[in-house]
Amino acid sequence: MYLSRFLSLHALWVTVSSVMQHYPSVWGHYDVCKTQIYTEEGKVWDYMACQPEARDMIKYVKVTLDPPDITCGDPPETFCAMGNPYMCNNECDASTQELAHPPELMFDLEGRHPSTFWQSTTWKDYPKPLHVNITLSWNKTIELTDNIVITFESGRPDQMILEKSLDYGRTWQPYQYYATDCLDAFHMDPKSVRDLSQHTVLEIICTEEYSTGYMTNSKIIHFEIKDRFAFFAGPRLHNMASLYGQLDTTKKLRDFFTITDLRIRLLRPATGEIYVDEQHLARYFYAISDIRVYGRCKCNLHATGCKEENKRLLCECEHNTTGPDCGKCKKNYQGRPWSPGSYLPIPKGTANICIPSISSIGTNVCDNELLHCQNGGTCINNVRCQCPPAYTGILCEKLKCEREPGGCGPSSARGLPGPGPL
């Protein structure tokens, strides 16, 4: 019997390990929503928090430009190199595929040689500002897991704002300001993320670090997600347990890394000098060859999968939850208020599954597949759980002492099996 149980446990561990092995241990094992474990009462389900794997979110983005006719090429236009105003042998022509620079070229998967890119019209209407809003929409709440990276083929803008929305573009808030002169452009002292700390990590800063003129090695603008993670997880992100603990207990911190939309506001093109050369305005424009946004679908720790359906991302909800973000309990599973899963305790978290409603008693409260009675409870005719003396609740998920004055002291559950992971 001992050997049989050992082999069963070993087989279970091999199965679970094979599912989890693609995740670094420092990130926690939130890719598993439930697994079967063996206890003195037999085989039971052990529920845990879970989340989808991080992925390249640009594959699912919808992009819009404002003004909509800001892309070059209609009519055809010649543009010049910023470093040499007399080098004007480049043409943008929307009617010719080889010379067109439409918005989708910000997201194509081509290599950098030759590079393809979106390009705006030139600053031919100077001194009227050359403003462009690039809005990236997912129609889904996502959580950022890596730096946002924007690669320019023109010079990096003299002035730019990165903004985020949490309500599908109805309202916007700044993420970061970028300028060659922060004080002049935005009335802010320049800072870098390195100047922040755990206590100021949510501060919106203006940085001059990414606003130099055109140079071959100076094309990239970052919004530094990982540097902010590092304030909690350490420089090499080895202590993700600390970060997850903070995300779990500080809603504003978690919301900071959560978006439904991003907006890139280009306010002034790279000039490379203090004054605009009005004799050579074809030098000034915006061009972007690549935008990278990595993240995961926000599923409130109630799903491991996120699928695309009718051009929309949807969480594949577990734990008896439903909705695009698994944000509510399914019908007949509203026995207690919905709540998100929890990262705590590390490493498997707490599932906070939705449990059957009182009104569903008499239908199917428990079974031997998905709705096991917990903590040694016994399922009686699929309509109720017969609980051990110390436990109560529809699925025996609660200690009785939780309802008593003084709650559960250290001695309350002495000698009893631990409470279930609800």
Side-chain angles (χ1 to χ4, degrees), residues 42-235:
K43 186 171 62 174
V44 299
W45 284 111
D46 186 22
Y47 291 89
M48 55 195 72
C50 52
Q51 61 186 359
E53 187 174 2
R55 62 176 86 173
D56 180 1
M57 299 307 298
I58 287 299
K59 296 178 181 178
Y60 312 99
V61 76
K62 175 185 176 183
V63 60
T64 55
L65 300 182
D66 182 29
D69 59 350
I70 197 64
T71 300
C72 68
D74 187 16
E77 187 175 5
T78 299
F79 56 97
C80 309
M82 192 178 76
N84 185 347
Y86 302 100
M87 189 180 210
C88 302
N89 55 355
N90 297 311
E91 185 178 2
C92 181
D93 185 348
S95 64
T96 305
Q97 183 176 355
E98 293 78 11
L99 301 176
H101 297 286
E104 54 266 27
L105 295 184
M106 288 187 272
F107 313 113
D108 60 331
L109 299 178
E110 50 81 32
R112 296 300 308 278
H113 301 290
S115 62
T116 58
F117 51 91
W118 164 80
Q119 184 173 307
S120 75
T121 58
T122 60
W123 204 359
K124 55 184 177 293
D125 293 331
Y126 177 86
K128 180 182 176 182
L130 183 60
H131 288 177
V132 183
N133 287 343
I134 302 172
T135 302
L136 311 179
S137 303
W138 283 272
N139 199 23
K140 173 75 180 77
T141 309
I142 65 175
E143 296 173 324
L144 300 173
T145 59
D146 206 336
N147 294 355
I148 297 169
V149 182
I150 307 169
T151 304
F152 285 84
E153 286 304 308
S154 61
R156 296 183 291 191
D158 283 356
Q159 296 176 18
M160 176 186 128
I161 308 174
L162 181 65
E163 297 178 325
K164 63 170 284 188
S165 176
L166 261 172
D167 55 11
Y168 303 95
R170 288 186 286 273
T171 62
W172 295 90
Q173 53 191 288
Y175 238 168
Q176 192 149 293
Y177 295 86
Y178 301 81
T180 53
D181 188 331
C182 286
L183 198 58
D184 178 64
F186 301 116
H187 310 292
M188 300 172 69
D189 290 324
K191 284 187 177 181
S192 74
V193 174
R194 293 181 294 275
D195 298 321
L196 302 178
S197 67
Q198 280 192 15
H199 302 294
T200 60
V201 69
L202 303 184
E203 181 182 343
I204 308 303
I205 66 171
C206 179
T207 179
E208 297 175 357
E209 190 172 350
Y210 303 108
S211 301
T212 57
Y214 180 84
M215 292 185 294
T216 55
N217 294 324
S218 300
K219 296 184 175 185
I220 294 174
I221 282 180
H222 283 263
F223 179 69
E224 305 92 338
I225 295 290
K226 284 189 171 180
D227 284 352
R228 288 172 169 84
F229 286 168
F231 290 123
F232 305 98

Side-chain angles (χ1 to χ4, degrees), residues 263-284:
R263 185 162 67 185
I264 303 165
R265 294 182 58 197
L266 304 172
L267 303 179
R268 181 181 172 91
T271 59
E273 47 201 28
I274 297 176
Y275 301 104
V276 173
D277 180 0
E278 297 185 45
Q279 303 301 314
H280 299 94
L281 294 176
R283 301 165 61 190
Y284 309 124

Side-chain angles (χ1 to χ4, degrees), residues 223-292:
F223 179 69
E224 305 92 338
I225 295 290
K226 284 189 171 180
D227 284 352
R228 288 172 169 84
F229 286 168
F231 290 123
F232 305 98
R236 297 187 179 181
L237 304 183
H238 284 321
N239 188 10
M240 291 302 292
S242 173
L243 172 63
Y244 278 142
Q246 292 291 333
L247 292 172
D248 213 68
T249 56
T250 309
K251 184 177 185 297
K252 286 185 177 180
L253 180 64
R254 193 162 184 180
D255 283 351
F256 184 82
F257 300 110
T258 303
I259 62 171
T260 58
D261 306 75
L262 284 171
R263 185 162 67 185
I264 303 165
R265 294 182 58 197
L266 304 172
L267 303 179
R268 181 181 172 91
T271 59
E273 47 201 28
I274 297 176
Y275 301 104
V276 173
D277 180 0
E278 297 185 45
Q279 303 301 314
H280 299 94
L281 294 176
R283 301 165 61 190
Y284 309 124
F285 53 88
Y286 306 106
I288 295 177
S289 62
D290 192 44
I291 301 177
R292 298 184 188 182

